[in-house]
Amino acid sequence: MTEPSRDLARTMLQVAFIGALAAGCFWILRPFLLSMIWATAIVVATWPLMLRLQAYLGGGAAWP
């Protein structure tokens, strides 16, 4: 009968550790969130232009 409670305690500790890890990552990245949102919006908005420019210039990337 001790096995299920031990598994429950282990699972709860794992969930708490993952939650603390996620909160720590958010806390560290918080100053950069607005910049990352803007960068994502710029990349999404200019992606078709980049594809057309690559096709016009002959395909792939400039480096080997």
Side-chain angles (χ1 to χ4, degrees):
M1 199 69 147
T2 61
E3 283 302 314
S5 103
R6 188 172 188 199
D7 286 342
L8 179 63
R10 185 178 202 176
T11 302
M12 291 302 290
L13 282 173
Q14 288 173 343
V15 168
F17 179 73
I18 291 172
L21 192 61
C25 288
F26 176 75
W27 180 62
I28 290 171
L29 292 175
R30 190 174 45 157
F32 306 103
L33 285 178
L34 186 60
S35 299
M36 289 191 302
I37 290 170
W38 271 106
T40 303
I42 290 169
V43 166
V44 168
T46 60
W47 195 264
L49 176 64
M50 187 218 41
L51 292 178
R52 276 187 259 140
L53 187 62
Q54 273 186 344
Y56 177 73
L57 294 174
W63 56 87

